[in-house]
């Protein structure tokens, strides 16, 4: 798991667990026999921590010095103002955390204040200062109970030697930009899908990218059939020149997996049309609410819509779609690989059985997961 974290730099966190949490699905696709409890254990041992890297992400704790400069949801200026405007609340909150240890917003009485939420409504001042303190580096996320966040002093969460390591702000920004290129592999100068969000304004990002090229960390390349220049990590140029054979296995890809950031690239390289439809109203969905792309070897074969029913210890397959020109029976090795992927997913979900939607009788017979 730590090899994946170091390779990607970070993995986007999302608590929605309809088919598994996003970060768990990212790891499940790459780590054999992965169980969600493994990532939770890394979190509890402080080997990973939560930070904003494109979105809320899990990052190796050793990377903390490069993540001190935090934008937060609305930028440092907003969060600085939240502390100034709610100074008395901020002082009480910090004093209690110092004295009592990790606390959540629910451990405090709701306090009114001038800070507004996304929709212009008054925000709970306690919640606002807790988030602002994480941006300024006074506290960090200690743990989660479901979606409830608990905060504690950073010195109680991370090793002293990690906290003592100071990195200049510009180097932090370059490191974050490079981590986004590392996570995807073939991003263009402008990024895609918010890949460069919350690093810096576009003119400064251009300067940072130019510095990474001059330092030899990024190498511009051209990809046949793809418009525009792409940038890859210097140590990965050899992979383009002599790519390894893809493994003949099936993987289900998480909606916010970095592989899916650049949908235009997916269309150009793989002729794969990917749109995350979770925020669409049902009538506008072409596929479904929580649909996972299906990768087989070096191609996108289709997409699957699974649901984990934890109360009944089962996985429901609501739908399956195959890409035009892909026939499961005619693809050498696919049927057995798909059966293996479904068995692995049952283990991932701690489920004892697989149930198929009534219209998927053919798939049910084809992909029997029993011994």
């Amino acid at each position: 798991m730590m090899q994946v974290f170091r390779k990607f730099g970070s993995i986007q966190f999302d608590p929605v667990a309809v088919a598994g949490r996003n970060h768990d699905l990212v790891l499940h696709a790459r780590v054999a026999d992965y169980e969600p409890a493994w990532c939770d254990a890394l979190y509890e041992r402080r080997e990973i921590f939560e930070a904003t890297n494109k979105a809320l992400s899990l990052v190796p704790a050793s990377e903390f010095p490069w993540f001190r400069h935090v934008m937060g949801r609305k930028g440092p200026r907003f969060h600085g103002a939240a502390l100034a405007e709610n100074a008395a609340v901020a002082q009480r909150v910090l004093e209690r955390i110092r004295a009592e240890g990790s606390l959540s917003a629910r451990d405090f009485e709701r306090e009114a204040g001038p800070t507004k939420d996304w929709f212009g409504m008054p925000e709970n001042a306690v919640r606002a200062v807790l988030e602002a303190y994480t941006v300024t580096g006074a506290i960090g996320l200690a743990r989660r109970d479901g979606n409830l966040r608990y905060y504690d002093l950073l010195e109680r969460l991370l090793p002293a030697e990690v906290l003592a390591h100071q990195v200049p702000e510009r180097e932090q920004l370059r490191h974050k930009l490079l981590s986004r290129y590392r996570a995807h592999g073939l991003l263009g100068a402008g990024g895609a899908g918010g890949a460069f969000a919350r690093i810096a304004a576009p003119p400064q990002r251009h300067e940072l990218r130019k510095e990474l090229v001059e330092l030899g960390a990024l190498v511009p390349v051209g990809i046949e059939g793809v418009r525009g220049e792409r940038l890859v990590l210097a140590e990965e140029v050899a992979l383009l020149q002599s790519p390894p054979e893809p493994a003949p296995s099936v993987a289900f890809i998480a909606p916010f997996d970095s592989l899916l950031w650049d949908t235009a690239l997916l269309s150009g390289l793989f002729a794969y049309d990917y749109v995350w439809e979770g925020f669409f109203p049902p009538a506008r969905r072409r596929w479904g609410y929580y649909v996972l792309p299906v990768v087989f070897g070096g191609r996108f074969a289709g997409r699957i819509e699974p649901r984990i029913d934890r109360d009944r210890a089962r996985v429901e397959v609501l739908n399956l779609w195959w890409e035009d020109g892909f026939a499961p029976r005619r693809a050498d090795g696919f049927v057995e690989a798909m059966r293996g992927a479904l068995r692995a997913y049952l283990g991932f979900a701690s489920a004892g059985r697989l149930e198929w939607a009534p219209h998927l009788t053919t798939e049910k017979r084809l992909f029997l997961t029993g011994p």
Side-chain angles (χ1 to χ4, degrees):
M1 284 193 299
M2 289 308 299
Q3 287 181 12
V4 177
F5 274 108
R6 285 190 287 267
K7 175 72 173 177
F8 283 23
S10 65
I11 297 174
Q12 185 168 335
F13 175 90
D14 188 84
V16 176
V18 172
R21 299 173 299 183
N22 184 78
H23 59 285
D24 287 322
L25 287 165
V26 170
L27 290 165
H28 168 65
R30 294 166 174 86
V31 178
D33 303 319
Y34 172 77
E35 298 177 15
W38 297 356
C39 193
D40 294 338
L42 289 182
Y43 191 108
E44 291 168 6
R45 296 203 303 258
R46 310 292 177 218
E47 293 185 47
I48 56 176
F49 73 101
E50 293 186 39
T52 300
N53 197 23
K54 180 181 179 290
L56 183 61
S57 300
L58 297 173
V59 180
S62 59
E63 295 264 290
F64 175 79
W66 288 270
F67 284 86
R68 290 182 186 273
H69 179 81
V70 179
M71 294 290 288
R73 291 182 303 159
K74 303 179 184 178
R77 182 178 299 178
F78 173 88
H79 295 293
L83 291 175
E85 294 168 352
N86 302 282
V89 175
Q91 183 178 353
R92 289 197 297 272
V93 166
L94 197 56
E95 286 176 351
R96 278 196 61 189
I97 290 176
R98 283 198 183 106
E100 300 176 34
S102 62
L103 297 172
S104 75
R106 289 186 186 174
D107 293 311
F108 300 86
E109 291 292 329
R110 183 182 179 89
E111 302 251 12
T115 310
K116 301 292 194 298
D117 65 15
W118 286 108
F119 306 102
M121 301 296 289
E123 187 171 21
N124 180 0
V126 172
R127 190 179 300 277
V129 301
L130 283 170
E131 183 174 357
Y133 272 138
T134 64
V135 172
T136 60
I139 63 175
L141 286 166
R143 62 185 176 88
R144 287 175 176 267
D145 184 1
N147 291 332
L148 185 63
R149 303 178 186 184
Y150 285 80
Y151 301 85
D152 205 345
L153 301 179
L154 274 179
E155 56 262 36
R156 294 202 285 245
L157 298 178
L158 293 171
E161 62 271 18
V162 171
L163 293 173
H165 187 181
Q166 299 291 327
V167 176
E169 182 178 308
R170 193 167 188 85
E171 187 178 335
Q172 292 182 48
L173 295 175
R174 279 202 306 265
H175 183 87
K176 285 184 179 180
L177 186 62
L178 186 63
S179 79
R180 314 284 173 89
Y181 279 105
R182 176 184 296 110
H184 182 270
L186 276 175
L187 282 175
F196 300 144
R198 298 174 181 172
I199 293 180
Q204 188 179 19
R205 287 205 302 265
H206 174 74
E207 295 172 3
L208 296 168
R209 184 176 61 253
K210 183 178 178 183
E211 290 172 11
L212 287 169
V213 173
E214 291 171 349
L215 290 167
L218 286 177
V219 177
V221 298
I223 305 297
E224 184 178 351
V226 176
R227 293 180 59 186
E229 188 177 72
R230 298 277 160 170
L231 294 108
V232 299
L233 270 65
E235 61 265 31
E236 294 182 354
V237 172
L239 290 175
L240 292 178
Q241 297 169 336
S242 182
E245 281 294 317
S249 58
V250 166
F252 305 148
I253 306 301
F256 306 119
D257 194 301
S258 55
L259 177 64
L260 306 177
W261 286 355
D262 193 338
T263 55
L265 185 69
L266 292 181
S267 178
L269 282 183
F270 301 102
Y272 189 74
D273 180 18
Y274 179 73
V275 178
W276 167 237
E277 297 181 330
F279 300 121
F280 289 8
R284 287 188 54 204
R285 292 175 188 152
R286 181 179 174 186
W287 292 291
Y289 167 56
Y290 211 93
V291 174
L292 311 180
V294 177
V295 168
F296 173 54
R299 68 175 297 176
F300 284 84
R303 52 203 91 207
I304 186 170
E305 186 177 14
R307 291 289 182 276
I308 300 173
D309 185 340
R310 293 171 178 81
D311 293 335
R312 299 182 182 180
R314 67 181 184 179
V315 167
E316 303 169 330
V317 179
L318 303 186
N319 219 331
L320 262 175
W321 300 263
W322 305 116
E323 288 298 281
D324 291 342
F326 183 82
R329 288 188 179 88
R330 294 201 296 268
D332 188 31
F334 176 77
V335 171
E336 189 54 45
M338 184 68 174
R339 289 173 181 167
L342 290 168
R343 285 193 293 267
Y345 188 77
L346 282 171
F348 166 78
S350 297
R353 69 184 191 275
L354 189 66
E355 296 197 358
W356 298 81
H359 69 284
L360 297 175
T361 53
T362 301
E363 288 80 5
K364 179 180 179 178
R365 290 194 301 270
L366 191 60
F367 303 122
L368 287 172
T369 55

PDB file of all heavy atoms in Angstrom, residues 65-91:
ATOM      1  N   PRO A  65       6.020  17.973   5.364  1.00  0.00           N
ATOM      2  CA  PRO A  65       6.723  19.246   5.174  1.00  0.00           C
ATOM      3  C   PRO A  65       6.410  19.933   3.848  1.00  0.00           C
ATOM      4  O   PRO A  65       6.539  21.160   3.751  1.00  0.00           O
ATOM      5  CB  PRO A  65       8.204  18.840   5.256  1.00  0.00           C
ATOM      6  CG  PRO A  65       8.202  17.618   6.124  1.00  0.00           C
ATOM      7  CD  PRO A  65       6.944  16.892   5.743  1.00  0.00           C
ATOM      8  N   TRP A  66       5.991  19.171   2.845  1.00  0.00           N
ATOM      9  CA  TRP A  66       5.668  19.760   1.545  1.00  0.00           C
ATOM     10  C   TRP A  66       4.188  20.130   1.438  1.00  0.00           C
ATOM     11  O   TRP A  66       3.732  20.572   0.387  1.00  0.00           O
ATOM     12  CB  TRP A  66       6.050  18.790   0.427  1.00  0.00           C
ATOM     13  CG  TRP A  66       7.532  18.690   0.257  1.00  0.00           C
ATOM     14  CD1 TRP A  66       8.338  19.453  -0.561  1.00  0.00           C
ATOM     15  CD2 TRP A  66       8.414  17.797   0.940  1.00  0.00           C
ATOM     16  NE1 TRP A  66       9.639  19.081  -0.418  1.00  0.00           N
ATOM     17  CE2 TRP A  66       9.729  18.065   0.493  1.00  0.00           C
ATOM     18  CE3 TRP A  66       8.221  16.793   1.892  1.00  0.00           C
ATOM     19  CZ2 TRP A  66      10.835  17.359   0.959  1.00  0.00           C
ATOM     20  CZ3 TRP A  66       9.318  16.103   2.357  1.00  0.00           C
ATOM     21  CH2 TRP A  66      10.606  16.378   1.896  1.00  0.00           C
ATOM     22  N   PHE A  67       3.444  19.934   2.548  1.00  0.00           N
ATOM     23  CA  PHE A  67       2.018  20.248   2.538  1.00  0.00           C
ATOM     24  C   PHE A  67       1.644  21.231   3.646  1.00  0.00           C
ATOM     25  O   PHE A  67       0.495  21.327   4.037  1.00  0.00           O
ATOM     26  CB  PHE A  67       1.187  18.965   2.670  1.00  0.00           C
ATOM     27  CG  PHE A  67       1.138  18.165   1.403  1.00  0.00           C
ATOM     28  CD1 PHE A  67       2.139  17.256   1.101  1.00  0.00           C
ATOM     29  CD2 PHE A  67       0.115  18.348   0.492  1.00  0.00           C
ATOM     30  CE1 PHE A  67       2.110  16.533  -0.073  1.00  0.00           C
ATOM     31  CE2 PHE A  67       0.077  17.632  -0.686  1.00  0.00           C
ATOM     32  CZ  PHE A  67       1.082  16.719  -0.973  1.00  0.00           C
ATOM     33  N   ARG A  68       2.630  21.971   4.146  1.00  0.00           N
ATOM     34  CA  ARG A  68       2.324  23.001   5.146  1.00  0.00           C
ATOM     35  C   ARG A  68       1.529  24.135   4.526  1.00  0.00           C
ATOM     36  O   ARG A  68       0.659  24.722   5.166  1.00  0.00           O
ATOM     37  CB  ARG A  68       3.620  23.557   5.752  1.00  0.00           C
ATOM     38  CG  ARG A  68       4.363  22.589   6.645  1.00  0.00           C
ATOM     39  CD  ARG A  68       5.601  23.272   7.220  1.00  0.00           C
ATOM     40  NE  ARG A  68       6.421  22.348   7.962  1.00  0.00           N
ATOM     41  CZ  ARG A  68       6.263  22.065   9.258  1.00  0.00           C
ATOM     42  NH1 ARG A  68       5.287  22.636   9.936  1.00  0.00           N
ATOM     43  NH2 ARG A  68       7.064  21.218   9.858  1.00  0.00           N
ATOM     44  N   HIS A  69       1.869  24.485   3.279  1.00  0.00           N
ATOM     45  CA  HIS A  69       1.149  25.554   2.587  1.00  0.00           C
ATOM     46  C   HIS A  69      -0.174  24.983   2.095  1.00  0.00           C
ATOM     47  O   HIS A  69      -0.239  24.300   1.079  1.00  0.00           O
ATOM     48  CB  HIS A  69       1.972  26.091   1.411  1.00  0.00           C
ATOM     49  CG  HIS A  69       1.278  27.177   0.642  1.00  0.00           C
ATOM     50  ND1 HIS A  69       1.270  28.490   1.061  1.00  0.00           N
ATOM     51  CD2 HIS A  69       0.552  27.149  -0.492  1.00  0.00           C
ATOM     52  CE1 HIS A  69       0.577  29.211   0.201  1.00  0.00           C
ATOM     53  NE2 HIS A  69       0.131  28.424  -0.750  1.00  0.00           N
ATOM     54  N   VAL A  70      -1.246  25.242   2.845  1.00  0.00           N
ATOM     55  CA  VAL A  70      -2.553  24.650   2.566  1.00  0.00           C
ATOM     56  C   VAL A  70      -3.522  25.734   2.130  1.00  0.00           C
ATOM     57  O   VAL A  70      -3.660  26.767   2.791  1.00  0.00           O
ATOM     58  CB  VAL A  70      -3.098  23.917   3.816  1.00  0.00           C
ATOM     59  CG1 VAL A  70      -4.460  23.317   3.521  1.00  0.00           C
ATOM     60  CG2 VAL A  70      -2.114  22.839   4.255  1.00  0.00           C
ATOM     61  N   MET A  71      -4.209  25.508   1.011  1.00  0.00           N
ATOM     62  CA  MET A  71      -5.182  26.475   0.517  1.00  0.00           C
ATOM     63  C   MET A  71      -6.512  26.365   1.260  1.00  0.00           C
ATOM     64  O   MET A  71      -7.203  27.352   1.471  1.00  0.00           O
ATOM     65  CB  MET A  71      -5.424  26.243  -0.983  1.00  0.00           C
ATOM     66  CG  MET A  71      -4.224  26.520  -1.863  1.00  0.00           C
ATOM     67  SD  MET A  71      -3.831  28.267  -1.972  1.00  0.00           S
ATOM     68  CE  MET A  71      -5.177  28.845  -2.996  1.00  0.00           C
ATOM     69  N   GLY A  72      -6.869  25.137   1.669  1.00  0.00           N
ATOM     70  CA  GLY A  72      -8.198  24.938   2.238  1.00  0.00           C
ATOM     71  C   GLY A  72      -9.270  25.025   1.164  1.00  0.00           C
ATOM     72  O   GLY A  72      -8.993  25.233  -0.010  1.00  0.00           O
ATOM     73  N   ARG A  73     -10.524  24.861   1.584  1.00  0.00           N
ATOM     74  CA  ARG A  73     -11.613  24.873   0.604  1.00  0.00           C
ATOM     75  C   ARG A  73     -11.767  26.223  -0.078  1.00  0.00           C
ATOM     76  O   ARG A  73     -12.115  26.308  -1.249  1.00  0.00           O
ATOM     77  CB  ARG A  73     -12.938  24.508   1.279  1.00  0.00           C
ATOM     78  CG  ARG A  73     -13.057  23.080   1.749  1.00  0.00           C
ATOM     79  CD  ARG A  73     -14.439  22.853   2.339  1.00  0.00           C
ATOM     80  NE  ARG A  73     -14.712  23.776   3.428  1.00  0.00           N
ATOM     81  CZ  ARG A  73     -15.926  24.079   3.860  1.00  0.00           C
ATOM     82  NH1 ARG A  73     -16.983  23.550   3.290  1.00  0.00           N
ATOM     83  NH2 ARG A  73     -16.101  24.912   4.873  1.00  0.00           N
ATOM     84  N   LYS A  74     -11.520  27.314   0.672  1.00  0.00           N
ATOM     85  CA  LYS A  74     -11.811  28.651   0.146  1.00  0.00           C
ATOM     86  C   LYS A  74     -10.599  29.564   0.127  1.00  0.00           C
ATOM     87  O   LYS A  74     -10.729  30.752  -0.147  1.00  0.00           O
ATOM     88  CB  LYS A  74     -12.930  29.289   0.981  1.00  0.00           C
ATOM     89  CG  LYS A  74     -14.211  28.466   1.023  1.00  0.00           C
ATOM     90  CD  LYS A  74     -15.267  29.139   1.892  1.00  0.00           C
ATOM     91  CE  LYS A  74     -16.514  28.289   2.025  1.00  0.00           C
ATOM     92  NZ  LYS A  74     -17.526  28.905   2.898  1.00  0.00           N
ATOM     93  N   GLY A  75      -9.415  29.037   0.400  1.00  0.00           N
ATOM     94  CA  GLY A  75      -8.203  29.838   0.320  1.00  0.00           C
ATOM     95  C   GLY A  75      -7.766  30.370   1.676  1.00  0.00           C
ATOM     96  O   GLY A  75      -8.581  30.575   2.582  1.00  0.00           O
ATOM     97  N   PRO A  76      -6.453  30.595   1.849  1.00  0.00           N
ATOM     98  CA  PRO A  76      -5.902  31.050   3.134  1.00  0.00           C
ATOM     99  C   PRO A  76      -6.519  32.354   3.648  1.00  0.00           C
ATOM    100  O   PRO A  76      -6.703  32.523   4.851  1.00  0.00           O
ATOM    101  CB  PRO A  76      -4.410  31.228   2.836  1.00  0.00           C
ATOM    102  CG  PRO A  76      -4.152  30.356   1.653  1.00  0.00           C
ATOM    103  CD  PRO A  76      -5.405  30.387   0.840  1.00  0.00           C
ATOM    104  N   ARG A  77      -6.848  33.270   2.755  1.00  0.00           N
ATOM    105  CA  ARG A  77      -7.408  34.553   3.188  1.00  0.00           C
ATOM    106  C   ARG A  77      -8.736  34.348   3.903  1.00  0.00           C
ATOM    107  O   ARG A  77      -8.987  34.927   4.964  1.00  0.00           O
ATOM    108  CB  ARG A  77      -7.589  35.486   1.991  1.00  0.00           C
ATOM    109  CG  ARG A  77      -8.123  36.866   2.364  1.00  0.00           C
ATOM    110  CD  ARG A  77      -8.241  37.758   1.145  1.00  0.00           C
ATOM    111  NE  ARG A  77      -6.948  37.959   0.513  1.00  0.00           N
ATOM    112  CZ  ARG A  77      -6.781  38.673  -0.596  1.00  0.00           C
ATOM    113  NH1 ARG A  77      -7.822  39.228  -1.192  1.00  0.00           N
ATOM    114  NH2 ARG A  77      -5.572  38.826  -1.111  1.00  0.00           N
ATOM    115  N   PHE A  78      -9.596  33.488   3.339  1.00  0.00           N
ATOM    116  CA  PHE A  78     -10.894  33.217   3.954  1.00  0.00           C
ATOM    117  C   PHE A  78     -10.706  32.609   5.336  1.00  0.00           C
ATOM    118  O   PHE A  78     -11.353  33.015   6.308  1.00  0.00           O
ATOM    119  CB  PHE A  78     -11.718  32.282   3.065  1.00  0.00           C
ATOM    120  CG  PHE A  78     -13.001  31.816   3.712  1.00  0.00           C
ATOM    121  CD1 PHE A  78     -14.160  32.558   3.596  1.00  0.00           C
ATOM    122  CD2 PHE A  78     -13.033  30.651   4.459  1.00  0.00           C
ATOM    123  CE1 PHE A  78     -15.335  32.139   4.189  1.00  0.00           C
ATOM    124  CE2 PHE A  78     -14.203  30.221   5.075  1.00  0.00           C
ATOM    125  CZ  PHE A  78     -15.361  30.970   4.929  1.00  0.00           C
ATOM    126  N   HIS A  79      -9.823  31.613   5.441  1.00  0.00           N
ATOM    127  CA  HIS A  79      -9.655  30.918   6.711  1.00  0.00           C
ATOM    128  C   HIS A  79      -8.962  31.793   7.749  1.00  0.00           C
ATOM    129  O   HIS A  79      -9.265  31.709   8.942  1.00  0.00           O
ATOM    130  CB  HIS A  79      -8.895  29.613   6.488  1.00  0.00           C
ATOM    131  CG  HIS A  79      -9.652  28.630   5.645  1.00  0.00           C
ATOM    132  ND1 HIS A  79     -10.807  28.028   6.067  1.00  0.00           N
ATOM    133  CD2 HIS A  79      -9.441  28.170   4.386  1.00  0.00           C
ATOM    134  CE1 HIS A  79     -11.277  27.231   5.121  1.00  0.00           C
ATOM    135  NE2 HIS A  79     -10.460  27.296   4.091  1.00  0.00           N
ATOM    136  N   GLY A  80      -8.060  32.669   7.294  1.00  0.00           N
ATOM    137  CA  GLY A  80      -7.459  33.632   8.220  1.00  0.00           C
ATOM    138  C   GLY A  80      -8.496  34.581   8.775  1.00  0.00           C
ATOM    139  O   GLY A  80      -8.496  34.897   9.970  1.00  0.00           O
ATOM    140  N   ALA A  81      -9.425  35.001   7.902  1.00  0.00           N
ATOM    141  CA  ALA A  81     -10.498  35.888   8.353  1.00  0.00           C
ATOM    142  C   ALA A  81     -11.430  35.164   9.324  1.00  0.00           C
ATOM    143  O   ALA A  81     -11.925  35.768  10.282  1.00  0.00           O
ATOM    144  CB  ALA A  81     -11.284  36.397   7.146  1.00  0.00           C
ATOM    145  N   ALA A  82     -11.670  33.867   9.089  1.00  0.00           N
ATOM    146  CA  ALA A  82     -12.541  33.108   9.993  1.00  0.00           C
ATOM    147  C   ALA A  82     -11.978  33.088  11.406  1.00  0.00           C
ATOM    148  O   ALA A  82     -12.723  33.202  12.392  1.00  0.00           O
ATOM    149  CB  ALA A  82     -12.716  31.689   9.471  1.00  0.00           C
ATOM    150  N   LEU A  83     -10.655  32.965  11.544  1.00  0.00           N
ATOM    151  CA  LEU A  83     -10.035  32.989  12.871  1.00  0.00           C
ATOM    152  C   LEU A  83     -10.104  34.374  13.489  1.00  0.00           C
ATOM    153  O   LEU A  83     -10.358  34.522  14.695  1.00  0.00           O
ATOM    154  CB  LEU A  83      -8.577  32.521  12.778  1.00  0.00           C
ATOM    155  CG  LEU A  83      -8.369  31.044  12.445  1.00  0.00           C
ATOM    156  CD1 LEU A  83      -6.888  30.749  12.257  1.00  0.00           C
ATOM    157  CD2 LEU A  83      -8.953  30.147  13.526  1.00  0.00           C
ATOM    158  N   ALA A  84      -9.888  35.402  12.671  1.00  0.00           N
ATOM    159  CA  ALA A  84      -9.912  36.777  13.192  1.00  0.00           C
ATOM    160  C   ALA A  84     -11.319  37.196  13.598  1.00  0.00           C
ATOM    161  O   ALA A  84     -11.520  37.840  14.639  1.00  0.00           O
ATOM    162  CB  ALA A  84      -9.356  37.729  12.134  1.00  0.00           C
ATOM    163  N   GLU A  85     -12.305  36.816  12.799  1.00  0.00           N
ATOM    164  CA  GLU A  85     -13.690  37.217  13.057  1.00  0.00           C
ATOM    165  C   GLU A  85     -14.318  36.440  14.221  1.00  0.00           C
ATOM    166  O   GLU A  85     -15.302  36.898  14.801  1.00  0.00           O
ATOM    167  CB  GLU A  85     -14.537  37.017  11.802  1.00  0.00           C
ATOM    168  CG  GLU A  85     -14.152  37.941  10.644  1.00  0.00           C
ATOM    169  CD  GLU A  85     -14.805  37.538   9.337  1.00  0.00           C
ATOM    170  OE1 GLU A  85     -15.437  36.455   9.302  1.00  0.00           O
ATOM    171  OE2 GLU A  85     -14.675  38.297   8.363  1.00  0.00           O
ATOM    172  N   ASN A  86     -13.744  35.301  14.523  1.00  0.00           N
ATOM    173  CA  ASN A  86     -14.271  34.460  15.605  1.00  0.00           C
ATOM    174  C   ASN A  86     -13.179  34.201  16.637  1.00  0.00           C
ATOM    175  O   ASN A  86     -13.004  33.074  17.116  1.00  0.00           O
ATOM    176  CB  ASN A  86     -14.776  33.130  15.036  1.00  0.00           C
ATOM    177  CG  ASN A  86     -15.853  33.304  13.976  1.00  0.00           C
ATOM    178  OD1 ASN A  86     -17.011  33.552  14.280  1.00  0.00           O
ATOM    179  ND2 ASN A  86     -15.470  33.173  12.716  1.00  0.00           N
ATOM    180  N   ALA A  87     -12.455  35.261  16.994  1.00  0.00           N
ATOM    181  CA  ALA A  87     -11.257  35.118  17.824  1.00  0.00           C
ATOM    182  C   ALA A  87     -11.548  34.462  19.174  1.00  0.00           C
ATOM    183  O   ALA A  87     -10.801  33.588  19.631  1.00  0.00           O
ATOM    184  CB  ALA A  87     -10.602  36.481  18.025  1.00  0.00           C
ATOM    185  N   ALA A  88     -12.630  34.865  19.823  1.00  0.00           N
ATOM    186  CA  ALA A  88     -12.943  34.305  21.142  1.00  0.00           C
ATOM    187  C   ALA A  88     -13.277  32.819  21.039  1.00  0.00           C
ATOM    188  O   ALA A  88     -12.822  32.003  21.847  1.00  0.00           O
ATOM    189  CB  ALA A  88     -14.105  35.071  21.776  1.00  0.00           C
ATOM    190  N   VAL A  89     -14.063  32.456  20.028  1.00  0.00           N
ATOM    191  CA  VAL A  89     -14.398  31.046  19.810  1.00  0.00           C
ATOM    192  C   VAL A  89     -13.131  30.258  19.497  1.00  0.00           C
ATOM    193  O   VAL A  89     -12.909  29.159  20.022  1.00  0.00           O
ATOM    194  CB  VAL A  89     -15.421  30.905  18.664  1.00  0.00           C
ATOM    195  CG1 VAL A  89     -15.685  29.432  18.360  1.00  0.00           C
ATOM    196  CG2 VAL A  89     -16.713  31.618  19.014  1.00  0.00           C
ATOM    197  N   ALA A  90     -12.283  30.815  18.628  1.00  0.00           N
ATOM    198  CA  ALA A  90     -11.048  30.128  18.237  1.00  0.00           C
ATOM    199  C   ALA A  90     -10.167  29.855  19.447  1.00  0.00           C
ATOM    200  O   ALA A  90      -9.584  28.770  19.578  1.00  0.00           O
ATOM    201  CB  ALA A  90     -10.297  30.970  17.205  1.00  0.00           C
ATOM    202  N   GLN A  91     -10.076  30.818  20.354  1.00  0.00           N
ATOM    203  CA  GLN A  91      -9.245  30.629  21.554  1.00  0.00           C
ATOM    204  C   GLN A  91      -9.813  29.514  22.436  1.00  0.00           C
ATOM    205  O   GLN A  91      -9.067  28.651  22.918  1.00  0.00           O
ATOM    206  CB  GLN A  91      -9.156  31.935  22.344  1.00  0.00           C
ATOM    207  CG  GLN A  91      -8.256  31.832  23.566  1.00  0.00           C
ATOM    208  CD  GLN A  91      -8.134  33.154  24.305  1.00  0.00           C
ATOM    209  OE1 GLN A  91      -8.606  34.185  23.846  1.00  0.00           O
ATOM    210  NE2 GLN A  91      -7.501  33.123  25.463  1.00  0.00           N
TER     211      GLN A  91
END
